[in-house]
CSV table of all heavy atoms in Angstrom, one decimal:
chain,number,residue,atom,x,y,z
A,723,GLN,N,-25.5,-5.7,-16.6
A,723,GLN,CA,-24.9,-7.0,-16.2
A,723,GLN,C,-24.0,-6.9,-15.1
A,723,GLN,O,-24.0,-7.6,-14.1
A,723,GLN,CB,-24.3,-7.6,-17.5
A,723,GLN,CG,-24.0,-9.2,-17.3
A,723,GLN,CD,-23.6,-9.8,-18.6
A,723,GLN,OE1,-23.4,-9.1,-19.6
A,723,GLN,NE2,-23.4,-11.2,-18.6
A,724,LEU,N,-23.0,-5.9,-15.3
A,724,LEU,CA,-22.0,-5.8,-14.2
A,724,LEU,C,-22.6,-5.2,-13.0
A,724,LEU,O,-22.3,-5.6,-11.8
A,724,LEU,CB,-20.9,-4.8,-14.8
A,724,LEU,CG,-20.0,-5.4,-15.8
A,724,LEU,CD1,-19.1,-4.4,-16.5
A,724,LEU,CD2,-19.1,-6.6,-15.2
A,725,GLU,N,-23.5,-4.3,-13.1
A,725,GLU,CA,-24.1,-3.7,-11.9
A,725,GLU,C,-24.9,-4.8,-11.2
A,725,GLU,O,-24.9,-4.8,-10.0
A,725,GLU,CB,-25.1,-2.7,-12.3
A,725,GLU,CG,-25.8,-1.9,-11.1
A,725,GLU,CD,-26.7,-0.8,-11.5
A,725,GLU,OE1,-27.1,-0.7,-12.8
A,725,GLU,OE2,-27.1,0.1,-10.7
A,726,LYS,N,-25.5,-5.7,-11.9
A,726,LYS,CA,-26.3,-6.8,-11.2
A,726,LYS,C,-25.2,-7.7,-10.4
A,726,LYS,O,-25.5,-8.2,-9.3
A,726,LYS,CB,-26.9,-7.7,-12.1
A,726,LYS,CG,-27.8,-8.8,-11.5
A,726,LYS,CD,-28.7,-9.4,-12.5
A,726,LYS,CE,-29.5,-10.6,-11.8
A,726,LYS,NZ,-30.3,-11.3,-12.9
A,727,VAL,N,-24.0,-8.0,-11.0
A,727,VAL,CA,-23.0,-8.8,-10.4
A,727,VAL,C,-22.5,-8.1,-9.1
A,727,VAL,O,-22.4,-8.7,-8.0
A,727,VAL,CB,-21.7,-9.0,-11.3
A,727,VAL,CG1,-20.6,-9.7,-10.4
A,727,VAL,CG2,-22.2,-9.8,-12.5
A,728,TYR,N,-22.4,-6.8,-9.2
A,728,TYR,CA,-22.0,-6.1,-7.8
A,728,TYR,C,-23.0,-6.2,-6.8
A,728,TYR,O,-22.8,-6.4,-5.7
A,728,TYR,CB,-21.8,-4.6,-8.3
A,728,TYR,CG,-21.6,-3.8,-6.9
A,728,TYR,CD1,-20.5,-3.9,-6.2
A,728,TYR,CD2,-22.6,-2.8,-6.6
A,728,TYR,CE1,-20.3,-3.1,-5.0
A,728,TYR,CE2,-22.5,-2.0,-5.5
A,728,TYR,CZ,-21.3,-2.2,-4.6
A,728,TYR,OH,-21.0,-1.5,-3.5
A,729,GLU,N,-24.3,-6.1,-7.3
A,729,GLU,CA,-25.4,-6.1,-6.2
A,729,GLU,C,-25.8,-7.4,-5.7
A,729,GLU,O,-26.3,-7.6,-4.5
A,729,GLU,CB,-26.7,-5.5,-6.8
A,729,GLU,CG,-26.5,-3.9,-7.2
A,729,GLU,CD,-27.7,-3.5,-7.9
A,729,GLU,OE1,-28.4,-4.2,-8.4
A,729,GLU,OE2,-27.8,-2.1,-8.0
A,730,THR,N,-25.4,-8.5,-6.5
A,730,THR,CA,-26.0,-9.9,-6.1
A,730,THR,C,-24.7,-10.9,-5.6
A,730,THR,O,-25.1,-11.9,-5.0
A,730,THR,CB,-26.8,-10.4,-7.1
A,730,THR,OG1,-26.0,-10.6,-8.3
A,730,THR,CG2,-28.0,-9.6,-7.4
A,731,SER,N,-23.6,-10.7,-6.2
A,731,SER,CA,-22.6,-11.7,-6.0
A,731,SER,C,-22.2,-11.7,-4.4
A,731,SER,O,-22.1,-10.7,-3.7
A,731,SER,CB,-21.3,-11.4,-6.8
A,731,SER,OG,-20.3,-12.3,-6.5
A,732,THR,N,-21.8,-12.9,-4.0
A,732,THR,CA,-21.2,-13.1,-2.6
A,732,THR,C,-19.8,-13.3,-2.6
A,732,THR,O,-19.2,-13.6,-1.6
A,732,THR,CB,-22.0,-14.2,-1.9
A,732,THR,OG1,-21.8,-15.5,-2.7
A,732,THR,CG2,-23.6,-14.0,-1.7
A,733,ASN,N,-19.2,-13.3,-3.8
A,733,ASN,CA,-17.8,-13.3,-4.0
A,733,ASN,C,-17.2,-12.0,-4.0
A,733,ASN,O,-17.4,-11.2,-5.0
A,733,ASN,CB,-17.4,-14.1,-5.3
A,733,ASN,CG,-15.9,-14.3,-5.4
A,733,ASN,OD1,-15.1,-13.5,-5.1
A,733,ASN,ND2,-15.6,-15.5,-5.9
A,734,PRO,N,-16.4,-11.5,-3.0
A,734,PRO,CA,-15.9,-10.2,-2.9
A,734,PRO,C,-15.0,-9.7,-4.1
A,734,PRO,O,-15.0,-8.6,-4.5
A,734,PRO,CB,-15.2,-10.2,-1.7
A,734,PRO,CG,-15.7,-11.2,-0.8
A,734,PRO,CD,-16.1,-12.3,-1.8
A,735,GLU,N,-14.3,-10.7,-4.7
A,735,GLU,CA,-13.4,-10.5,-5.8
A,735,GLU,C,-14.3,-10.0,-7.0
A,735,GLU,O,-14.1,-9.1,-7.7
A,735,GLU,CB,-12.5,-11.6,-6.2
A,735,GLU,CG,-11.6,-11.4,-7.3
A,735,GLU,CD,-10.9,-12.7,-7.9
A,735,GLU,OE1,-11.1,-13.7,-7.2
A,735,GLU,OE2,-10.1,-12.6,-8.7
A,736,PHE,N,-15.2,-10.9,-7.4
A,736,PHE,CA,-16.2,-10.6,-8.5
A,736,PHE,C,-17.0,-9.2,-8.2
A,736,PHE,O,-17.2,-8.5,-9.1
A,736,PHE,CB,-17.2,-11.8,-8.6
A,736,PHE,CG,-16.5,-13.0,-9.0
A,736,PHE,CD1,-17.2,-14.2,-8.9
A,736,PHE,CD2,-15.3,-13.0,-9.6
A,736,PHE,CE1,-16.7,-15.4,-9.2
A,736,PHE,CE2,-14.7,-14.2,-10.1
A,736,PHE,CZ,-15.4,-15.5,-9.8
A,737,GLN,N,-17.5,-9.1,-7.1
A,737,GLN,CA,-18.2,-7.9,-6.7
A,737,GLN,C,-17.4,-6.7,-6.9
A,737,GLN,O,-17.8,-5.7,-7.6
A,737,GLN,CB,-18.7,-8.0,-5.2
A,737,GLN,CG,-19.7,-7.0,-4.8
A,737,GLN,CD,-20.1,-7.3,-3.4
A,737,GLN,OE1,-19.4,-7.6,-2.5
A,737,GLN,NE2,-21.5,-7.2,-3.1
A,738,GLU,N,-16.2,-6.6,-6.3
A,738,GLU,CA,-15.3,-5.4,-6.5
A,738,GLU,C,-15.0,-5.2,-8.0
A,738,GLU,O,-15.0,-4.1,-8.4
A,738,GLU,CB,-14.1,-5.6,-5.6
A,738,GLU,CG,-13.2,-4.3,-5.7
A,738,GLU,CD,-11.9,-4.6,-4.9
A,738,GLU,OE1,-11.1,-5.2,-5.3
A,738,GLU,OE2,-11.9,-3.9,-3.8
A,739,ASN,N,-14.6,-6.3,-8.7
A,739,ASN,CA,-14.2,-6.0,-10.1
A,739,ASN,C,-15.3,-5.5,-10.9
A,739,ASN,O,-15.1,-4.6,-11.7
A,739,ASN,CB,-13.7,-7.6,-10.7
A,739,ASN,CG,-12.4,-7.9,-10.2
A,739,ASN,OD1,-11.6,-7.1,-9.6
A,739,ASN,ND2,-12.1,-9.2,-10.3
A,740,ALA,N,-16.5,-6.0,-10.7
A,740,ALA,CA,-17.7,-5.5,-11.3
A,740,ALA,C,-18.0,-4.0,-11.1
A,740,ALA,O,-18.1,-3.1,-12.0
A,740,ALA,CB,-19.0,-6.3,-11.0
A,741,LEU,N,-17.8,-3.6,-9.8
A,741,LEU,CA,-17.9,-2.2,-9.4
A,741,LEU,C,-17.0,-1.3,-10.1
A,741,LEU,O,-17.2,-0.2,-10.7
A,741,LEU,CB,-17.8,-2.1,-7.9
A,741,LEU,CG,-18.0,-0.6,-7.3
A,741,LEU,CD1,-19.3,-0.1,-7.6
A,741,LEU,CD2,-17.6,-0.6,-5.9
A,742,ARG,N,-15.7,-1.8,-10.1
A,742,ARG,CA,-14.6,-0.9,-10.7
A,742,ARG,C,-14.8,-0.7,-12.2
A,742,ARG,O,-14.5,0.3,-12.7
A,742,ARG,CB,-13.2,-1.6,-10.4
A,742,ARG,CG,-12.8,-1.8,-9.0
A,742,ARG,CD,-12.6,-0.6,-8.1
A,742,ARG,NE,-12.2,-0.8,-6.8
A,742,ARG,CZ,-13.0,-0.6,-5.8
A,742,ARG,NH1,-14.2,-0.1,-5.9
A,742,ARG,NH2,-12.6,-0.9,-4.6
A,743,LEU,N,-15.3,-1.8,-12.8
A,743,LEU,CA,-15.5,-1.6,-14.2
A,743,LEU,C,-16.6,-0.7,-14.8
A,743,LEU,O,-16.5,-0.2,-15.8
A,743,LEU,CB,-15.8,-3.1,-14.8
A,743,LEU,CG,-14.6,-4.1,-14.7
A,743,LEU,CD1,-15.2,-5.5,-15.1
A,743,LEU,CD2,-13.5,-3.6,-15.7
A,744,LEU,N,-17.5,-0.4,-13.8
A,744,LEU,CA,-18.5,0.5,-14.1
A,744,LEU,C,-18.0,2.0,-14.6
A,744,LEU,O,-18.7,2.7,-15.3
A,744,LEU,CB,-19.5,0.7,-13.0
A,744,LEU,CG,-20.3,-0.6,-12.7
A,744,LEU,CD1,-21.2,-0.4,-11.4
A,744,LEU,CD2,-21.1,-1.1,-13.9
A,745,THR,N,-16.9,2.3,-14.0
A,745,THR,CA,-16.3,3.6,-14.4
A,745,THR,C,-15.4,3.5,-15.6
A,745,THR,O,-14.8,4.5,-16.0
A,745,THR,CB,-15.5,4.0,-13.2
A,745,THR,OG1,-14.3,3.3,-12.9
A,745,THR,CG2,-16.3,4.4,-12.0
A,746,GLN,N,-15.4,2.4,-16.4
A,746,GLN,CA,-14.6,2.2,-17.5
A,746,GLN,C,-15.4,2.6,-18.8
A,746,GLN,O,-14.8,2.7,-19.9
A,746,GLN,CB,-13.9,1.0,-17.7
A,746,GLN,CG,-13.1,0.4,-16.4
A,746,GLN,CD,-11.8,1.3,-16.3
A,746,GLN,OE1,-11.4,2.0,-17.2
A,746,GLN,NE2,-11.1,1.1,-15.2
A,747,PHE,N,-16.7,2.6,-18.7
A,747,PHE,CA,-17.6,2.8,-19.9
A,747,PHE,C,-17.3,4.2,-20.5
A,747,PHE,O,-17.4,5.1,-19.7
A,747,PHE,CB,-18.9,2.6,-19.6
A,747,PHE,CG,-19.3,1.1,-19.3
A,747,PHE,CD1,-19.0,0.4,-18.2
A,747,PHE,CD2,-19.9,0.3,-20.4
A,747,PHE,CE1,-19.4,-0.9,-18.0
A,747,PHE,CE2,-20.4,-0.9,-20.2
A,747,PHE,CZ,-19.9,-1.6,-19.0
A,748,GLN,N,-17.3,4.2,-21.8
A,748,GLN,CA,-16.9,5.5,-22.5
A,748,GLN,C,-18.1,6.3,-22.8
A,748,GLN,O,-18.1,7.5,-23.0
A,748,GLN,CB,-16.1,5.2,-23.8
A,748,GLN,CG,-15.0,4.4,-23.7
A,748,GLN,CD,-13.9,4.9,-22.6
A,748,GLN,OE1,-13.4,6.0,-23.0
A,748,GLN,NE2,-13.6,4.3,-21.6
A,749,ASP,N,-19.2,5.6,-22.8
A,749,ASP,CA,-20.6,6.3,-23.0
A,749,ASP,C,-20.8,7.4,-21.9
A,749,ASP,O,-20.9,7.0,-20.7
A,749,ASP,CB,-21.7,5.3,-23.1
A,749,ASP,CG,-23.1,5.8,-23.5
A,749,ASP,OD1,-23.3,7.0,-23.0
A,749,ASP,OD2,-23.9,5.2,-24.1
A,750,PRO,N,-21.0,8.6,-22.2
A,750,PRO,CA,-21.1,9.7,-21.2
A,750,PRO,C,-22.3,9.3,-20.2
A,750,PRO,O,-22.2,9.5,-19.0
A,750,PRO,CB,-21.4,10.9,-21.9
A,750,PRO,CG,-20.6,10.7,-23.2
A,750,PRO,CD,-20.9,9.2,-23.6
A,751,ALA,N,-23.4,8.8,-20.8
A,751,ALA,CA,-24.6,8.5,-20.0
A,751,ALA,C,-24.3,7.3,-18.9
A,751,ALA,O,-24.7,7.4,-17.8
A,751,ALA,CB,-25.7,8.2,-20.9
A,752,LEU,N,-23.5,6.4,-19.4
A,752,LEU,CA,-23.2,5.2,-18.6
A,752,LEU,C,-22.2,5.7,-17.5
A,752,LEU,O,-22.3,5.2,-16.4
A,752,LEU,CB,-22.7,4.1,-19.4
A,752,LEU,CG,-23.6,3.5,-20.4
A,752,LEU,CD1,-23.0,2.4,-21.1
A,752,LEU,CD2,-25.0,3.0,-19.6
A,753,LEU,N,-21.2,6.5,-17.9
A,753,LEU,CA,-20.3,7.0,-16.9
A,753,LEU,C,-21.0,7.8,-15.7
A,753,LEU,O,-20.8,7.6,-14.6
A,753,LEU,CB,-19.1,8.0,-17.6
A,753,LEU,CG,-18.2,8.5,-16.5
A,753,LEU,CD1,-17.4,7.5,-15.9
A,753,LEU,CD2,-17.3,9.5,-17.4
A,754,GLU,N,-22.0,8.7,-16.2
A,754,GLU,CA,-22.7,9.4,-15.2
A,754,GLU,C,-23.5,8.4,-14.3
A,754,GLU,O,-23.7,8.7,-13.0
A,754,GLU,CB,-23.7,10.3,-15.8
A,754,GLU,CG,-24.3,11.3,-14.8
A,754,GLU,CD,-25.1,12.5,-15.5
A,754,GLU,OE1,-25.1,12.5,-16.9
A,754,GLU,OE2,-25.7,13.4,-14.8
A,755,ARG,N,-24.1,7.4,-14.9
A,755,ARG,CA,-24.8,6.4,-14.0
A,755,ARG,C,-23.8,5.8,-13.0
A,755,ARG,O,-24.2,5.6,-11.8
A,755,ARG,CB,-25.3,5.2,-14.9
A,755,ARG,CG,-26.7,5.5,-15.5
A,755,ARG,CD,-27.1,4.3,-16.3
A,755,ARG,NE,-27.3,3.2,-15.4
A,755,ARG,CZ,-27.6,1.9,-15.9
A,755,ARG,NH1,-27.8,1.7,-17.2
A,755,ARG,NH2,-27.8,0.9,-15.1
A,756,ALA,N,-22.6,5.5,-13.4
A,756,ALA,CA,-21.6,4.9,-12.5
A,756,ALA,C,-21.2,6.0,-11.3
A,756,ALA,O,-21.1,5.5,-10.2
A,756,ALA,CB,-20.4,4.5,-13.2
A,757,LEU,N,-21.1,7.2,-11.7
A,757,LEU,CA,-20.7,8.2,-10.7
A,757,LEU,C,-22.0,8.4,-9.7
A,757,LEU,O,-21.7,8.7,-8.5
A,757,LEU,CB,-20.4,9.5,-11.4
A,757,LEU,CG,-19.1,9.3,-12.3
A,757,LEU,CD1,-18.7,10.7,-12.9
A,757,LEU,CD2,-17.9,8.7,-11.5
A,758,ASP,N,-23.2,8.5,-10.4
A,758,ASP,CA,-24.4,8.6,-9.6
A,758,ASP,C,-24.4,7.5,-8.5
A,758,ASP,O,-24.7,7.7,-7.3
A,758,ASP,CB,-25.6,8.7,-10.4
A,758,ASP,CG,-25.8,10.0,-11.1
A,758,ASP,OD1,-25.2,11.0,-10.6
A,758,ASP,OD2,-26.6,10.0,-12.0
A,759,MET,N,-24.1,6.4,-9.0
A,759,MET,CA,-24.2,5.3,-8.2
A,759,MET,C,-23.2,5.3,-6.9
A,759,MET,O,-23.4,4.9,-5.8
A,759,MET,CB,-23.9,3.9,-8.9
A,759,MET,CG,-24.0,2.7,-8.2
A,759,MET,SD,-23.7,1.2,-9.3
A,759,MET,CE,-23.6,-0.1,-8.1
A,760,ALA,N,-22.0,5.8,-7.2
A,760,ALA,CA,-20.9,6.0,-6.2
A,760,ALA,C,-21.3,6.9,-5.0
A,760,ALA,O,-20.9,6.6,-3.9
A,760,ALA,CB,-19.7,6.5,-6.9
A,761,VAL,N,-22.2,7.9,-5.3
A,761,VAL,CA,-22.6,8.7,-4.2
A,761,VAL,C,-24.1,8.5,-3.7
A,761,VAL,O,-24.6,9.2,-2.9
A,761,VAL,CB,-22.5,10.3,-4.6
A,761,VAL,CG1,-21.1,10.6,-5.0
A,761,VAL,CG2,-23.4,10.5,-5.8
A,762,SER,N,-24.7,7.3,-4.2
A,762,SER,CA,-26.1,7.1,-3.9
A,762,SER,C,-26.3,6.5,-2.6
A,762,SER,O,-27.4,6.3,-2.1
A,762,SER,CB,-26.6,6.2,-5.0
A,762,SER,OG,-26.1,4.9,-4.9
A,763,GLY,N,-25.3,5.9,-2.0
A,763,GLY,CA,-25.4,5.0,-0.8
A,763,GLY,C,-25.4,3.6,-1.2
A,763,GLY,O,-25.3,2.7,-0.2
A,764,LYS,N,-25.4,3.2,-2.4
A,764,LYS,CA,-25.4,1.8,-2.9
A,764,LYS,C,-24.0,1.3,-2.7
A,764,LYS,O,-23.8,0.0,-2.6
A,764,LYS,CB,-25.9,1.6,-4.2
A,764,LYS,CG,-27.3,1.9,-4.5
A,764,LYS,CD,-27.7,1.6,-5.9
A,764,LYS,CE,-29.3,1.8,-6.1
A,764,LYS,NZ,-29.6,1.8,-7.5
A,765,VAL,N,-23.0,2.2,-2.8
A,765,VAL,CA,-21.6,1.9,-2.7
A,765,VAL,C,-20.9,2.2,-1.3
A,765,VAL,O,-21.3,3.3,-0.9
A,765,VAL,CB,-20.8,2.6,-3.9
A,765,VAL,CG1,-19.3,2.4,-3.7
A,765,VAL,CG2,-21.3,2.1,-5.3
A,766,ARG,N,-20.3,1.2,-0.8
A,766,ARG,CA,-19.8,1.6,0.5
A,766,ARG,C,-18.7,2.8,0.5
A,766,ARG,O,-18.1,2.8,-0.5
A,766,ARG,CB,-19.1,0.2,1.1
A,766,ARG,CG,-19.9,-0.9,1.3
A,766,ARG,CD,-19.2,-2.2,1.7
A,766,ARG,NE,-19.9,-3.3,1.7
A,766,ARG,CZ,-20.8,-3.7,2.8
A,766,ARG,NH1,-20.9,-2.9,3.8
A,766,ARG,NH2,-21.5,-4.7,2.7
A,767,ASN,N,-18.7,3.6,1.6
A,767,ASN,CA,-17.7,4.6,1.4
A,767,ASN,C,-16.3,4.3,1.5
A,767,ASN,O,-15.4,5.0,1.1
A,767,ASN,CB,-18.0,5.6,2.7
A,767,ASN,CG,-17.9,5.0,4.0
A,767,ASN,OD1,-17.8,3.8,4.2
A,767,ASN,ND2,-18.0,6.0,5.0
A,768,GLN,N,-15.9,2.9,1.7
A,768,GLN,CA,-14.6,2.4,1.5
A,768,GLN,C,-14.3,2.3,0.0
A,768,GLN,O,-13.2,2.3,-0.3
A,768,GLN,CB,-14.5,1.0,2.1
A,768,GLN,CG,-15.3,-0.1,1.5
A,768,GLN,CD,-15.0,-1.5,2.0
A,768,GLN,OE1,-14.5,-1.7,3.0
A,768,GLN,NE2,-15.5,-2.4,1.1
A,769,ASP,N,-15.3,2.3,-0.8
A,769,ASP,CA,-15.2,2.1,-2.3
A,769,ASP,C,-15.4,3.3,-3.2
A,769,ASP,O,-15.1,3.4,-4.2
A,769,ASP,CB,-16.0,0.9,-2.7
A,769,ASP,CG,-15.5,-0.4,-2.2
A,769,ASP,OD1,-14.3,-0.6,-2.2
A,769,ASP,OD2,-16.4,-1.2,-1.7
Side-chain angles (χ1 to χ4, degrees):
Q723 193 175 4
L724 290 169
E725 185 176 18
K726 185 177 180 180
V727 171
Y728 171 68
E729 292 174 345
T730 62
S731 176
T732 58
N733 184 317
E735 181 188 3
F736 295 157
Q737 190 178 44
E738 182 183 76
N739 287 343
L741 177 65
R742 302 289 183 255
L743 289 171
L744 295 179
T745 59
Q746 305 291 353
F747 285 78
Q748 308 300 293
D749 183 328
L752 296 178
L753 175 63
E754 186 169 4
R755 275 183 63 185
L757 300 179
D758 282 342
M759 183 177 169
V761 297
S762 68
K764 293 182 179 179
V765 176
R766 298 179 186 276
N767 58 353
Q768 68 175 13
D769 295 313

